[in-house]
Amino acid sequence: MVGHKVPIHPLRANANVLLASVFGPYAQDDQYGSRKNNPMELYHNQVTRVQGGFSLRMFHRSFGLLMIQANIDAPCTVLDFPRREEFIRELQSNEYDIIGIGSILVNIGKVREMCSLIRRYQPGATIVVGGHIAALEDLHRRIDADYVVRGDGIRWFRRFLGQDEEAPINHPLVLSAFDARMMGIDLPNGRGHTAAILIPSVGCPVGCNFCSTSAFFGGKGNFVNFYETGDELFSIMCRMEEKLSVHSFFVLDENFLLHRRRALRLLELMEEHGKSWSLDVFSSARVIQSYPIAQLVRLGVSWVWMGLEGKESAYAKLDGVDTRRLVKTLQAHGIRVLGSSIIGLEGHRPEDLEEIISYAVSHDTDFHQFMLYTPNPGTPLYHRHLEEGDILTEAELPLADRHGQYRFNYRHRHIPGGQEEEMLLRAFRRDFEENGPSLYRLIRTMLQGWRRYGDHPDPAVRDRCARENAPLRVAYAGAVWAMRKWYEEDPLMRAKLDELLRDLCRAFGLRTRLLAPVVGRFALMRLRREERRLKQGRAYEPRSFVNKNEAALARKQSRRFRVEIAAPAPAPHGIR
């Protein structure tokens, strides 16, 4: 059943709920739709794909499931990244009244299998499926689920459980990533090291025609705001700071700075209370350019994911913006930029590919994402291609392969099918070869920020700058030393790294000069080992998580107590 008219579950908030992500493993080709070229790693998959041992490896929790769990009164367990056998074991070990599955389109095979397993082991459970997979219009005919939820899952579940769906949103306390790794070295993880996730809104009112997130939450002009005011966000961030020992926040919002009144009120409160927080944000170019750089710095904007799309892409969010100049301005103030470019826009032709890639690479962003122009179900772009009749059939391209890093899911007007992945790889390689490892670029930008703001008169700006750039003194200086050795035979890249290491030593003095080679030798050894592992086919998988809310923990404790009371007393020692 799809739609908003949903009956209330008979058990209401007494229903026992399980929310699960699709099962792993993920970075392999299998019968359920996993693909080697589409691992469960956002950065390695779409950003640092060809950078080998320099690639940023990390995983992110299923934040949508955790948001739902934090906002329902019923006992709720989240099972994140289970193996198939772990999912089966959970079904065999615990009885659930409602089982929800969150997924994207390419994992439809796994969702189908999970629904089948639920029917086998828990036939009385109500099955709910949501996430971007729900945009597939005939999903309810492809899988054995009771409900398919499109849009805001929090309000849907509250309605289903008989709760007030308009009640204030409770934000979960969750770190943004786990098991981060680079150059074969495990990066500091956990409390005090990793940013907290902050989700102010979902959707995007800008409404680019290809944007699945915008379409999923209402399309152009619409979005779902969880928090209307800067005061609400400030309160949540203070709580996260206290409970998670964090000073940085990954703001998972398609265009956070677009809500200017909220952002500026947050800035007022940060200044009033002397908060030296760091914010990693997504932003369109026009929006971030509309803020004075001093405001961005005082707000703590340290990292920006920005759509560059492509030369002459004709998206309104880029009108009147010199994106190359904007990137350089942000970097000059220590703000790292992840630029996102599209390969295969409607006017792109194979003979123009070198110019298209050159334009993207010329931005010299710290990180660069390349994706295929993909009409995903639910988007205006998809509906247009559907009407034109050029969407590929599943016999031509299975749903599991429609992830934007392999093939077009439609017949492109100018680019023959089969060339797409190589076009993407050429873009990734050019960016890597000409601009160097993203780690090098990141360190270079951070050093610019340190030089500009290391002795800033505002103590909050100064403290944030000192905290963010502390790794430059030893760890990152050592990484640059190792990269110099790695690029021994590349005079252009070696010269860039020589200059950066000299600049680091000038900025931080004798200790950096002495320790960089020590740390660098260790880093080089780990990098070489990592490269050998990757050439042998090593893949990384996320570990599994089980999270229970307070109601679920209380229910588990209550059941244990009842079992202990009902069990026969053991015989006294020595009596048989």
Side-chain angles (χ1 to χ4, degrees):
M1 182 184 296
V2 182
H4 295 287
K5 293 183 178 179
V6 178
I8 297 174
H9 192 279
L11 293 177
R12 292 179 173 260
N14 290 318
N16 195 25
V17 180
L18 173 67
L19 301 176
S21 63
V22 296
F23 60 81
Y26 308 96
Q28 65 176 37
D29 296 329
D30 68 15
Q31 68 193 79
Y32 300 112
S34 286
R35 294 291 186 264
K36 286 182 180 178
N37 62 358
N38 188 34
M40 188 68 77
E41 298 177 83
L42 174 61
Y43 284 89
H44 179 64
N45 184 3
Q46 300 178 12
V47 182
T48 54
R49 180 172 172 178
V50 303
Q51 295 192 24
F54 294 111
S55 182
L56 177 57
R57 317 297 296 260
M58 66 168 65
F59 301 99
H60 305 275
R61 295 293 306 276
S62 298
F63 301 121
L65 300 183
L66 295 168
M67 284 288 287
I68 293 171
Q69 181 191 48
N71 285 281
I72 59 176
D73 296 335
C76 182
T77 299
V78 170
L79 186 60
D80 216 358
F81 309 121
R83 293 297 181 106
R84 182 175 178 275
E85 56 272 20
E86 290 173 327
F87 182 66
I88 292 173
R89 188 159 55 245
E90 185 67 27
L91 296 178
Q92 291 174 324
S93 303
N94 298 284
E95 184 177 349
Y96 291 101
D97 304 297
I98 303 168
I99 301 178
I101 304 168
S103 177
I104 57 175
L105 177 64
V106 295
N107 288 319
I108 188 171
K110 294 188 174 185
V111 173
R112 184 184 297 114
E113 173 68 4
M114 292 172 79
C115 289
S116 177
L117 292 171
I118 294 167
R119 295 302 188 207
R120 183 190 312 172
Y121 293 105
Q122 301 227 12
T126 298
I127 302 176
V128 183
V129 173
H132 285 287
I133 191 174
L136 191 64
E137 291 182 351
D138 64 344
L139 179 64
H140 58 288
R141 290 194 288 268
R142 294 169 177 258
I143 61 173
D144 186 9
D146 298 293
Y147 298 100
V148 172
V149 179
R150 294 178 184 148
D152 184 357
I154 294 174
R155 286 178 172 81
W156 191 95
F157 263 93
R158 284 176 165 178
R159 189 182 313 133
F160 191 44
L161 296 170
Q163 295 178 221
D164 177 8
E165 60 190 89
E166 300 300 330
I169 298 295
N170 181 38
H171 203 292
L173 302 176
V174 188
L175 298 177
S176 61
F178 64 96
D179 292 350
R181 182 181 182 87
M182 196 176 242
M183 292 180 67
I185 301 171
D186 293 333
L187 303 180
N189 283 280
R191 294 165 59 93
H193 297 289
T194 305
I197 199 72
L198 179 67
I199 309 177
S201 314
V202 288
C204 179
V206 174
C208 295
N209 65 341
F210 60 83
C211 181
S212 295
T213 306
S214 176
F216 197 67
F217 292 101
K220 190 175 183 66
N222 298 290
F223 63 108
V224 178
N225 224 6
F226 293 141
Y227 306 104
E228 293 287 346
T229 68
D231 298 79
E232 292 173 287
L233 289 186
F234 183 77
S235 176
I236 292 165
M237 294 164 77
C238 286
R239 183 164 172 256
M240 289 178 171
E241 180 183 46
E242 177 188 357
K243 300 295 184 181
L244 298 176
S245 302
V246 298
H247 299 281
S248 57
F249 303 87
F250 192 105
V251 187
L252 192 56
D253 185 307
E254 289 287 325
N255 214 337
F256 173 67
L257 297 171
L258 185 63
H259 199 324
R260 183 178 294 269
R261 181 183 299 177
R262 184 178 61 186
L264 294 182
R265 175 57 180 159
L266 175 61
L267 172 58
E268 286 180 11
L269 292 167
M270 288 173 59
E271 291 182 328
E272 180 182 336
H273 295 272
K275 296 296 185 182
S276 60
W277 292 334
S278 304
L279 275 63
D280 301 338
V281 304
F282 294 82
S283 178
S284 59
R286 280 182 65 188
V287 168
I288 199 161
Q289 184 175 263
S290 70
Y291 283 77
I293 196 72
Q295 275 187 344
L296 295 176
V297 170
R298 283 161 36 225
L299 186 58
V301 174
S302 303
W303 183 98
V304 178
W305 190 313
M306 182 168 62
L308 306 174
E309 313 317 357
K311 189 176 183 180
E312 300 174 355
S313 61
Y315 285 105
K317 64 184 181 181
L318 296 167
D319 283 352
V321 180
D322 182 339
T323 51
R324 285 179 284 200
R325 178 180 295 178
L326 176 58
V327 168
K328 293 296 177 287
T329 298
L330 294 170
Q331 290 175 325
H333 292 267
I335 299 174
R336 283 79 80 191
V337 180
L338 193 161
S340 180
S341 293
I342 297 173
I343 299 295
L345 288 168
E346 293 173 6
H348 285 183
R349 291 172 167 80
E351 60 268 26
D352 300 327
L353 183 62
E354 290 306 313
E355 182 183 354
I356 291 164
I357 293 174
S358 293
Y359 174 75
V361 170
S362 69
H363 286 80
D364 195 10
T365 55
D366 301 277
F367 294 86
H368 210 121
Q369 177 191 44
F370 293 96
M371 292 288 288
L372 293 176
Y373 197 47
T374 304
N376 285 314
T379 63
L381 184 63
Y382 179 82
H383 289 301
R384 200 197 82 202
H385 281 284
L386 199 62
E387 290 175 4
E388 294 173 357
D390 56 15
I391 296 290
L392 298 181
T393 67
E394 290 175 45
E396 294 173 297
L397 185 71
L399 294 181
D401 292 314
R402 303 181 184 213
H403 48 73
Q405 287 289 321
Y406 175 51
R407 290 278 307 278
F408 292 130
N409 63 344
Y410 66 105
R411 283 175 284 278
H412 195 283
R413 188 175 304 170
H414 306 294
I415 302 173
Q419 298 183 13
E420 305 95 300
E421 186 174 31
E422 180 53 34
M423 292 170 66
L424 277 173
L425 290 173
R426 283 168 67 183
F428 280 118
R429 291 188 190 113
R430 277 277 302 281
D431 180 60
F432 184 38
E433 290 166 2
E434 292 189 22
N435 295 325
S438 286
L439 179 59
Y440 152 70
R441 299 178 240 172
L442 175 84
I443 295 169
R444 181 188 61 192
T445 298
M446 291 175 68
L447 182 59
Q448 290 187 77
W450 168 258
R451 285 170 159 174
R452 189 179 289 266
Y453 295 108
D455 58 355
H456 195 273
D458 184 333
V461 173
R462 191 170 61 247
D463 290 349
R464 175 176 63 82
C465 188
R467 184 182 65 249
E468 284 184 349
N469 294 298
L472 293 175
R473 297 175 180 274
V474 176
Y476 282 176
V480 175
W481 188 95
M483 284 188 274
R484 285 174 66 245
K485 291 293 184 180
W486 183 264
Y487 282 98
E488 198 88 52
E489 306 301 320
D490 183 336
L492 292 178
M493 196 64 224
R494 172 65 186 259
K496 291 180 180 180
L497 290 160
D498 279 339
E499 181 182 8
L500 180 56
L501 187 58
R502 284 195 298 269
D503 289 344
L504 287 166
C505 291
R506 279 196 291 266
F508 299 111
L510 182 61
R511 184 168 181 265
T512 297
R513 190 183 304 276
L514 293 175
L515 291 179
V518 177
V519 174
R521 288 186 180 92
F522 170 76
L524 183 60
M525 176 192 70
R526 298 300 294 265
L527 173 61
R528 287 170 173 163
R529 187 172 72 172
E530 182 78 351
E531 287 282 344
R532 289 194 298 270
R533 287 178 171 180
L534 295 175
K535 287 177 181 177
Q536 293 166 2
R538 173 71 178 270
Y540 290 100
E541 296 281 348
R543 49 195 165 98
S544 300
F545 292 84
V546 178
N547 298 97
K548 294 182 181 291
N549 63 6
E550 290 184 8
L553 292 171
R555 185 178 188 275
K556 182 178 180 181
Q557 185 63 34
S558 175
R559 289 185 64 201
R560 182 183 295 119
F561 179 74
R562 288 199 302 271
V563 169
E564 289 173 352
I565 292 296
H573 180 69
I575 298 178
R576 298 289 185 266

